[in-house]
């Protein structure tokens, strides 16, 4: 019997949407967006992140001013309870995705004799 991998992937995607971890992210994201101060800090932080990533990908120099902006923004993020909770929830989901990736890659690692970590 042949398995449709895409059907299985869609089931996994549906399961992720129903998970406590995803719902925590969704709830905390709504809290950030419903608080004007949190939203402003979060939007500025994301803009700085995107700018730094773009510079890095295009080989542009990241200046000390860029780094200072990022540091100042990160400090504001840490002080905002709404955003801190969102980032903690994102970290938990990131861990799950890393674990899922490890599981998904297991057949190829076994095939090629690669020893997985963990």
């Amino acid at each position: 019997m042949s398995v449709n991998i895409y059907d299985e992937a869609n089931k996994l995607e549906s399961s992720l949407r129903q998970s406590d971890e995803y719902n925590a992210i969704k709830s905390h994201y709504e809290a950030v967006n419903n608080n004007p101060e949190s939203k402003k800090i979060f939007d500025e932080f994301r803009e700085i992140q995107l700018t730094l990533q773009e510079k890095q990908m295009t080989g542009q120099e990241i200046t000390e001013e860029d780094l200072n902006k990022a540091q100042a923004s990160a400090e504001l993020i840490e002080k905002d309870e709404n955003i801190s909770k969102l980032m903690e929830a994102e970290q938990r989901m990131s861990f799950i995705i890393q674990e899922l990736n490890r599981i998904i890659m297991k057949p190829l690692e076994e095939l090629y004799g690669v020893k997985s970590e963990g």
Side-chain angles (χ1 to χ4, degrees):
M1 178 172 93
S2 178
V3 174
N4 185 326
I5 292 175
Y6 295 102
D7 287 345
E8 298 300 319
N10 285 317
K11 287 179 192 174
L12 179 57
E13 184 257 351
S14 178
S15 295
L16 282 173
R17 287 182 186 274
Q18 295 173 37
S19 72
D20 291 340
E21 293 80 6
Y22 175 79
N23 284 305
I25 290 173
K26 190 174 176 185
S27 173
H28 294 306
Y29 185 67
E30 288 171 2
V32 167
N33 281 312
N34 289 330
N35 180 304
E37 184 177 328
S38 295
K39 180 165 177 33
K40 182 177 185 271
I41 293 168
F42 186 71
D43 288 345
E44 288 173 359
F45 178 74
R46 293 210 41 195
E47 186 176 319
I48 290 168
Q49 276 187 316
L50 291 173
T51 299
L52 291 177
Q53 286 174 353
E54 185 178 313
K55 282 186 171 189
Q56 190 174 31
M57 289 184 341
T58 59
Q60 295 179 47
E61 179 185 352
I62 295 175
T63 65
E64 185 143 349
E65 181 182 349
D66 292 330
L67 295 175
N68 289 338
K69 275 185 183 177
Q71 180 65 35
S73 182
E75 288 173 8
L76 290 175
I77 289 285
E78 290 174 14
K79 292 177 184 175
D80 188 289
E81 188 175 340
N82 292 319
I83 301 170
S84 292
K85 287 180 180 179
L86 173 60
M87 295 185 102
E88 288 170 12
E90 286 178 352
Q91 286 178 337
R92 286 190 297 277
M93 180 59 86
S94 178
F95 177 77
I96 289 171
I97 291 171
Q98 288 173 3
E99 287 294 298
L100 291 172
N101 189 53
R102 185 184 59 77
I103 293 166
I104 290 167
M105 294 304 295
K106 195 172 187 177
L108 292 175
E109 290 172 352
E110 288 174 357
L111 178 67
Y112 291 113
V114 177
K115 298 201 180 206
S116 71
E117 297 175 25

